[in-house]
Every structure is written in C-alpha cells, then in structure tokens.
Amino acid sequence: MEFKGLFHNIYAKYGYDFRNYSKASLKRRVDWRMHKERIPCLETFRNRVLDDETLFSRLVDDLLIGVTQMFRDPSFFKHLREKILPALAPFPHIRIWSAGTSTGEEAYSLAILLEEAGLYERSLIYATDLSDPRLKRAAEGHISMRNMARNTSNYYSSGGVKPFSQYFEITEDHAVIDPYFRKNLVFSTHCLANDWVFNEFHLILCRNVLIYFDPHLGARALSLFTESLTKRGFLCLGSKESLISFQVRDFYEKAHHSEKVYRKLF
C-alpha cells in the first residue's frame, strides 16, 4: 500500500501520473533511486520526494527511461523510408505524432527521412513527452557527440546515402541539428494516462513505451492512438509490443511481417 500511495501522492502534488505504469518496472526504478540516495525506508523516500523537487526530478528521469538514438532499430526506419513514406506521399499535408519522444532523436530522424523523401516541407511532426526538461533539451536540437558514431551507423543501416554530418553543426561536446529540421516540429507535453486526442494523424509512432504500462493504461493509449489516426493511417510500436491482446486489434491489419507496423482499416 505504501508503494501504491507514493504514486498517488506524486500525482496529487506534481500532476505526473504513473499510477498505471507496470508495477514491476516502477518498483525496480524506485528501489534503484532509493539505493542511489541511500534512503532505506520507503516512507522516508516518499516524504523526501514530496518535499524536494530536485529529488523528484531525478526520480522522474529514472521512471521515464530515456534510452534513445537517432534511427534506432535501423530496419524499422528502412521500412519507414521504403514503404510507409511513399504511401503517405499523395497527401497534401502529412501529420505525424512521435509519442514518448524523450530528447527528440526519433523526431529528428523522421524529419531527415521526410526531407530525403521530398516530403518535409508539407509535413508537421508533433513530438510529445511527459517530461518538460527532456522536451526542452529536444527543442534545442543538441545531440551528444558520444552518441554520434552509433547515430551515423544507424542512419546508413536504415538506407541513408548522404553525408550524415551535413545535418549538423559540430561543436566540442555535441552536435546541433540544422535549424531547418526544427521548423516543422512541435514539441509539447502530453500524458498518455490523462490527455486525449489533439489532432488527426497519418502516422503515429509510440515505440518502446507501452511495455512500461499495465494492461489498463496500454489499452487506453492504444484507444487514443486509434481515435487519432486517419483511415489507412499507420501505427508503429516497439519490437516487444503488440496489438494482439487489445480490443483495438480489429481496427488494424499488419503492415509488415516482422516490424511492429499496423495500418488502420477504417
């Protein structure tokens, strides 16, 4: 009960709703943060989190798991490049939602793909996350130099053929994405646990987020995506995620035999 109460208290004070995240995942991350802070008692930790916004911010960073890369899972981006974007090309305006965007690497990868497909100028990418600090970093377009070797490798593995460095200005410790690739991006807070439909989209990506939700919250998020997609729009999930156990599966057909890409039927 104490553990459950921690997240009710966090929601009441800070407005961050983790109440329907996977309990096992939450417990691992709370235990890890308690160990790092050398706080052995959950009740003491709860009081500290509610009194200390800095500690709360560290806990949120743990809970949201911001593991990300540009062109992460290159085979997925290759399919996006070769099959999905050509299917979206006939639309005069293309709206895309990157849900759980973290620090923006996925959104900028999409922008580069759209530019290389000749579609960027008539596209708008909404990149949302629960964390304001991460969205702020995303909007600045800074990519750590220690990740650039992996990002570059991912880009070429996804079918990219241009010099990847042309998309950045390089400084001592980070690369800054060309401002051109920020102009059609909208970074905004959105909570999949509480917020609702805010636009209609041709493509929605929510990859490696649902695995941290319990079945109730997973069903809510998928219902939200289904309501937000146009007819024949695409929904892209992470490699360990599926529609199989959710009622919304009847709205979709599988669009790729191995990638978790689904197309809305109606």
Side-chain angles (χ1 to χ4, degrees), residues 95-100 124-129 186-192 194-201 203-205 224-225 227-229:
R95 292 180 300 277
I96 298 173
W97 181 9
S98 171
L124 187 60
I125 302 168
Y126 290 83
T128 66
D129 201 85
V186 177
F187 290 101
S188 179
T189 55
H190 185 276
C191 178
L192 294 173
N194 301 114
D195 295 330
W196 292 98
V197 174
F198 63 94
N199 211 324
E200 189 175 49
F201 298 95
L203 171 63
I204 296 176
L205 299 90
L224 173 62
F225 297 148
E227 290 181 45
S228 301
L229 271 177

Side-chain angles (χ1 to χ4, degrees), residues 5-6 13 16 33 41 68 104 120 132 139 178 216 249 252 256:
L6 168 65
K13 175 159 186 179
Y16 280 64
R33 179 49 56 189
C41 171
T68 185
Y120 182 62
D132 283 323
D178 188 316
H216 171 78
R249 65 184 181 276
Y252 294 92
H256 191 277

Side-chain angles (χ1 to χ4, degrees), residues 65-246:
I65 312 164
V67 177
T68 185
Q69 303 162 5
M70 295 191 72
F71 298 92
R72 185 182 183 188
D73 301 324
S75 63
F76 163 75
F77 278 95
K78 187 174 180 67
H79 179 69
L80 197 62
R81 183 192 297 275
E82 295 178 350
K83 300 296 182 181
I84 298 179
L85 293 190
L88 299 182
F91 291 101
H93 302 286
I94 301 168
R95 292 180 300 277
I96 298 173
W97 181 9
S98 171
T101 197
S102 189
T103 47
E105 282 84 347
E106 179 176 84
Y108 290 122
S109 301
L110 288 168
I112 290 170
L113 279 189
L114 288 161
E115 173 63 15
E116 293 184 351
L119 302 175
Y120 182 62
E121 284 293 340
R122 50 191 175 96
S123 299
L124 187 60
I125 302 168
Y126 290 83
T128 66
D129 201 85
L130 187 59
S131 169
D132 283 323
R134 289 184 183 178
L135 288 170
K136 182 179 179 181
R137 293 201 298 270
E140 292 171 348
H142 290 188
I143 309 294
S144 172
M145 284 301 296
R146 67 176 179 271
N147 297 329
M148 284 304 289
R150 173 61 64 86
N151 293 338
T152 302
S153 174
N154 288 348
Y155 168 73
Y156 289 118
S157 296
S158 75
V161 296
K162 296 188 177 181
F164 190 54
S165 59
Q166 76 179 30
Y167 297 120
F168 302 90
E169 178 182 341
I170 306 299
T171 68
E172 284 187 10
D173 57 353
H174 59 260
V176 184
I177 192 82
D178 188 316
Y180 173 76
F181 294 101
R182 285 181 258 166
K183 73 184 185 76
N184 289 357
L185 269 67
V186 177
F187 290 101
S188 179
T189 55
H190 185 276
C191 178
L192 294 173
N194 301 114
D195 295 330
W196 292 98
V197 174
F198 63 94
N199 211 324
E200 189 175 49
F201 298 95
H202 303 96
L203 171 63
I204 296 176
L205 299 90
C206 185
R207 303 169 62 238
N208 307 305
V209 175
L210 299 183
I211 55 174
Y212 301 111
F213 292 174
D214 71 7
H216 171 78
L217 183 52
R220 185 194 192 279
L222 288 169
S223 294
L224 173 62
F225 297 148
T226 301
E227 290 181 45
S228 301
L229 271 177
T230 62
K231 178 182 177 181
R232 305 300 290 162
F234 292 92
L235 173 63
C236 304
L237 302 180
S239 60
K240 297 180 181 178
E241 298 165 336
S242 173
L243 296 180
I244 291 175
S245 60
F246 294 97

